[in-house]
Each structure stands twice: as C-alpha cells, then as structure tokens.
Amino acid sequence: MRVRFAPSPTGALHIGGARTALFNWLMARHEGEDGTLVLRIEDTDRERSTPENVAQILDALQWLELDWDEGPISQISRSDRHQEVLAQLLDDGHAYRSTATADDVRAYKARHGADRGFRGTAEGEGAIRLRVPDDGASVVRDVIRGDTTFQHVHLDDAVIARGDGTALYNFAVAVDDHDAGITHVVRGEDHLSNTPKQLLVYEALGAAPPVFAHLPLLHGPDGKKLSKRHGAASVQELRDAGYLPAAVRNYLALLGWGDADDETLIPTAELVRRFDIARVSRNPAQFDEVKLRWMNGRYLRELSTDELTAQLERFTGRTGLRDAVEISREKVQTLADFWPLAGFIFDGPADDAAAREKWLGEAGQAVLADVRSALAQVDPYELAPIEAALRGVVEARGAKPKDVFQPVRVALAGVPVSPGIFETLAVLGRDESLARIDRAIGQTG
RNA sequence: GCCCCCAUGGUCUAGCGGUCAGGACGCCUCCCUUUCAAGGAGGAGAUCGCGGGUUCGAGUCCCGCUGGGGGUACCA
C-alpha cells in the first residue's frame, strides 16, 4: 500500500489537513513494512505557495509526530515530466489548446443548457484542455462512499495547463500519483467532484486509477467551515494552546472514524492497530475544542511528573518547576493552564481587588495573624505538620476550614484559586510563605 | 443555475431488518472536599431531518422532499 499526503502550501496546516495527514499515516503504519507514506507539496499555484508555508507544514507534521517515508516532493520540481505528458496528450488528441475563457464557457452553457459541459475546439494556442467525451461516465470507486457516477455530458473540457504551458492541479495530481505508484488516495471530500477529471487523465494515460477515500469535511462549532474565528484552527495554534500531540492524534482520529467497540481514549499504537479506512464516516464532523481539552487532560495526567515538568519547562521557558507541577498536575487540562494556576509561586501573588476585599477584611486579618504564628512554629516545615498547624488554627478559632484557608490562599496567590493550600505553603517554603502573609496583613480590601 | 455528497441527543459516534437506540464530551444532582480541578455515583437529553413506500417487522433497504456541505478557476 502506498498512500500520500499532499498539502498545498498556501497557508498553515489546518486541523482538517492534519486529520487527512493522520488518516494517511495510520493507513500506512497499519500495514507495517508494506505501507509507505509519500509527502508531496502541491505548489503549482506559484502565486500563493511560499517556502514559509512549506516549512510550517513540515513543522506541524513533525510536532504531530507523523513521519513520512518519501519526500517531501515538490510538485513544481516535476514540471519536466508534466510537460512530457502534456505533449503526449496533445499529440494523441486527448487534449487540445484553446483560448476559450470562463466567459466563453458560460456563453456556451447559455446556448446548450446549464447541465451540458463545455466542449471547445482545438486552436493551436491558449490553455490546454482535456477532451471529455460526451457519452459515458466516470465512476469514482471510494472505500468510504462506494461508487459515485459522474456523467461525462455534465463535465467541462477541463483546463489542465495554463496558456504558458504550466500544469494545473487536476492534471498534475493524477500524473504524480500515478508515477509515485500511489494505491490509495485519501483526501478531503472537497476533492470528490474533481475526481472524474483526474480519472479521465488516468484514462488518457492508459493507467489504472488508485482506490479513493474521500473524508468528510470538518466544520466549526457553528456548523460552518473551520476558520480562525473558531479558536485554535491550525496545528501551531493547537501547540501554542498547550495540547499534547498524542491527545490531538487521538481526538482527530475520532473525528469521522469510530471503531466497533466505540472506545474514546485510544493510544496511538492502538489507533494504528485498529484503524480501518473503510469504517470512516460519511458525514461531516464539528471540531469540538471542549472535548479535546478533556481528552488532553487525560493524556496530561498519564505523564509522569518528570515528563510533565520537562514539557512544561519547555512550554513556559522557565525552570525549576517540578514542585509546582507536582501540586498542580491534577488541575490542568493543557500545558497553557499551568502558569495561570501556579505562576504566582514564582512571580508572586496576583493583584485581585475582589479577592482581597472578600477574604482579607477584618476577619481575614485576624486569621492571618493566627496562621502566621502557627506557621512560624511548625517544625519541621513540611506538608503534614503544616496541615496540622492550619487545622489547629481552624479548631482554635472554631471556624469553618474555608474561612481560614481562603485568606491564606489569597495572601499567597492573590486569587481565590490555587493548588492545595498545604502543598502550596510547603512548596513556597517558610520564609516566603511568612513574607507573603506579612505583606497581606495590613493590606485591607 | 447545474453536478455531486451527506443527514442517530447540543457535539463526536456505535448500530449494518427484530436492541429498553449503546458509549464519550458537555450539562444537572449527589459524594469527596480548603478553592479550583481531578475522581466516584446517579440524572436529564433522540418521535434516529420530513413524507411516502418495501417488509410480519426499518435508524438500518428504495423513492421524493427539506436542510446542510462540496464542486462548477488558466486555485488546490
């Protein structure tokens, strides 16, 4: 089995593209030694293709840990071969040159009926069009959708090369897939309608077409096409939002594909083992970041504290995070959640007037004074004794735990949300803890 | 306009002629509890888009409609 992922470098790799890459990768890896994934960059649109985008796509694939076996092959680098085939098709009458414009095509349809495809006449100059027969039909054999028949009468004589002779997508893709020995073309459903044109190119080449698999498209939460306003839409945005590649792979795999047992948390190795392209769904899916967040949290908690610390230090650019990670790992879903929760340990308490007002009033001040003296005597200054000391204050004051712990929390973190209070006190150390409490005392709301 | 695809709770899905239509996210309640989470236990939520068929029996098969999406570029 030989599959390919063929993005066009006209922008960053979006979630839809990432899923297409993933499905191709899963197919190839499922076959083990017999599976090959070819990466081809479809850069025939010289206006919009940029080296920056190519680099970005490669970077995204690497981050997702989706490796390829051949390529990346630039489609433009195959221009000579394209010219060769073009000349051949021109020569044997499968294609012809025509100066007909889009307006001419429209006019033709006005005359012949909207459901009649445009047929031009050979002029010896202009763009190169594929000669489409009026009779017969092309059948797209798709492992997900079954057979789809396109009557040739409805098809236009497609332009396969520009007036300057450079190849266009529907032609280049067929030639390149054929030359690369691609056996299964797995891509988005937006390509389904263009497939008969490609089939006609295969036919003109006298070549057998590959098997197709058109994946349902991905939509945003509003059912519309996915775009930036839907939040993290590109792979790099997902990375910046603190998601783990393994979680992204798991989530994306479930967008349009489901195993018979309908499991939700499926590690990559298991994905590879179970993946079956024929089981891919036919209906479009909405990208739901809330579910991704949940799943990411599950993957995050499976990491050892050392691993998670390493990831978090890379993500935040800070070091010495291990103790803080240890006490907050149960409370974050993404790498990006960590700093807002635990950053105060390193950068000092945040300034939240509402929290101060609520917890550092008269009652709070009194509590802090008691806590301060209790903490000053804790020995050793460790988790268990710290907890005992604070609970002692609760008991001595006959207060509710919350009325003691929240003022302390606000004194330490500045906000009413933080990792466990005993743990935080321990991680901060006695000096820093007392210093922060002292600072809070006298600071009225 | 024309061609094509699709249709199970809000979302992702299981289902492949006979199930109380199952699971996951989210939501609600309760437990745990120092906050927030995490975890545990329950719960609400689907006349399987609508209408016709076929069949003893249809979410599952067929037709129509509606809705959504894609294509219709000298873009990919």
Side-chain angles (χ1 to χ4, degrees):
Chain A
M1 172 183 291
R2 286 174 66 80
V3 294
R4 81 321 189 264
F5 176 56
S8 74
T10 52
L13 184 62
H14 271 235
I15 293 167
R19 188 194 52 166
T20 301
L22 173 66
F23 281 19
N24 275 288
W25 183 83
L26 287 173
M27 272 183 92
R29 295 300 169 257
H30 180 80
E31 297 299 313
E33 294 291 304
D34 298 326
T36 302
L37 174 59
V38 179
L39 177 61
R40 184 175 65 231
I41 305 297
E42 311 228 307
D43 51 1
T44 50
D45 183 342
R46 304 314 288 160
E47 299 289 304
R48 298 192 298 154
S49 300
T50 68
E52 292 73 33
N53 287 333
V54 172
Q56 223 179 140
I57 289 169
L58 261 35
D59 177 55
L61 291 174
Q62 275 153 4
W63 179 75
L64 280 167
E65 296 163 322
L66 300 180
D67 59 329
W68 54 92
D69 307 303
E70 294 177 18
I73 301 160
S74 152
Q75 196 154 45
I76 277 296
S77 75
R78 294 184 35 82
S79 296
D80 290 351
R81 169 61 177 157
H82 295 156
Q83 292 313 309
E84 180 186 324
V85 178
L86 245 14
Q88 180 194 322
L89 296 190
L90 242 19
D91 205 46
D92 61 22
H94 279 112
Y96 60 92
R97 282 187 177 278
S98 162
T99 58
T101 63
D103 282 341
D104 294 332
V105 171
R106 249 188 300 273
Y108 181 98
K109 294 198 182 196
R111 281 198 307 276
H112 295 84
D115 59 342
R116 309 284 300 180
F118 171 77
R119 296 291 178 270
T121 45
E123 297 176 57
E125 61 169 333
I128 302 177
R129 284 185 185 267
L130 187 67
R131 205 182 285 286
V132 178
D134 272 330
D135 57 327
S138 284
V139 178
V140 179
R141 301 207 181 283
D142 189 300
V143 289
I144 296 172
R145 282 155 216 281
D147 292 351
T148 301
T149 303
F150 293 85
Q151 297 297 331
H152 291 155
V153 258
H154 300 313
L155 267 37
D156 293 333
D157 279 0
V159 176
I160 57 175
R162 300 179 177 91
D164 64 7
T166 54
L168 253 20
Y169 172 73
N170 285 119
F171 168 77
V173 73
V175 172
D176 290 356
D177 282 341
H178 173 249
D179 286 354
I182 299 303
T183 58
H184 300 253
V185 170
V186 179
R187 67 212 329 183
E189 198 208 310
D190 49 335
H191 291 286
L192 180 58
S193 296
N194 284 322
T195 307
K197 298 175 191 171
Q198 296 162 27
L199 249 18
L200 255 7
V201 172
Y202 273 94
E203 204 173 303
L205 256 42
V211 170
F212 293 93
H214 288 96
L215 309 174
L217 262 22
L218 256 33
H219 293 168
D222 54 0
K224 297 277 169 49
K225 219 175 155 164
L226 215 48
S227 66
K228 0 259 162 246
R229 64 194 168 76
H230 291 127
S234 73
V235 174
Q236 6 284 112
E237 282 170 327
L238 247 26
R239 174 178 56 195
D240 293 345
Y243 293 106
L244 264 23
V248 173
R249 289 193 297 268
N250 189 160
Y251 178 73
L252 252 24
L254 258 25
L255 243 34
W257 174 81
D259 199 22
D261 64 14
D262 213 19
E263 290 285 331
T264 302
L265 262 2
I266 310 173
T268 302
E270 192 65 12
L271 244 22
V272 168
R273 199 176 70 71
R274 298 197 204 186
F275 189 75
D276 177 7
I277 191 72
R279 282 191 60 93
V280 171
S281 156
R282 281 178 292 272
N283 37 342
Q286 289 187 22
F287 175 69
D288 178 14
E289 195 168 349
V290 174
K291 187 164 184 176
L292 206 212
R293 280 186 63 83
W294 164 80
M295 190 173 280
N296 200 70
R298 295 291 302 246
Y299 273 85
L300 220 48
R301 269 169 263 126
E302 271 173 32
L303 259 31
S304 70
T305 298
D306 283 339
E307 275 176 300
L308 183 54
T309 300
Q311 296 242 26
L312 248 8
E313 291 184 345
R314 213 172 309 135
F315 189 82
T316 60
R318 308 281 289 233
T319 54
L321 265 34
R322 195 182 192 287
D323 290 344
V325 170
E326 177 83 66
I327 66 173
S328 32
R329 52 171 302 153
E330 294 298 310
K331 302 172 187 293
V332 298
Q333 286 187 305
T334 68
L335 298 178
D337 288 345
F338 173 76
W339 201 254
L341 177 72
F344 75 91
I345 293 173
F346 307 93
D347 292 353
D351 185 29
D352 179 347
R356 248 187 293 132
E357 197 171 324
K358 177 161 188 192
W359 297 105
L360 299 185
E362 240 175 272
Q365 300 291 323
V367 164
L368 288 185
D370 285 0
V371 170
R372 195 210 186 283
S373 45
L375 248 24
Q377 290 164 31
V378 166
D379 185 40
Y381 191 82
E382 285 168 3
L383 190 61
I386 289 171
E387 175 166 358
L390 256 66
R391 292 204 185 278
V393 172
V394 170
E395 203 173 330
R397 298 183 60 87
K400 287 201 262 189
K402 181 195 254 184
D403 293 326
V404 170
F405 300 153
Q406 282 302 82
V408 177
R409 190 185 310 282
V410 173
L412 302 180
V415 291
V417 175
S418 81
I421 198 68
F422 315 126
E423 290 82 354
T424 301
L425 250 6
V427 167
L428 245 21
R430 191 193 319 257
D431 293 348
E432 180 64 18
S433 296
L434 294 184
R436 290 192 189 191
I437 288 171
D438 285 340
R439 224 170 301 144
I441 290 175
Q443 247 186 28
T444 43

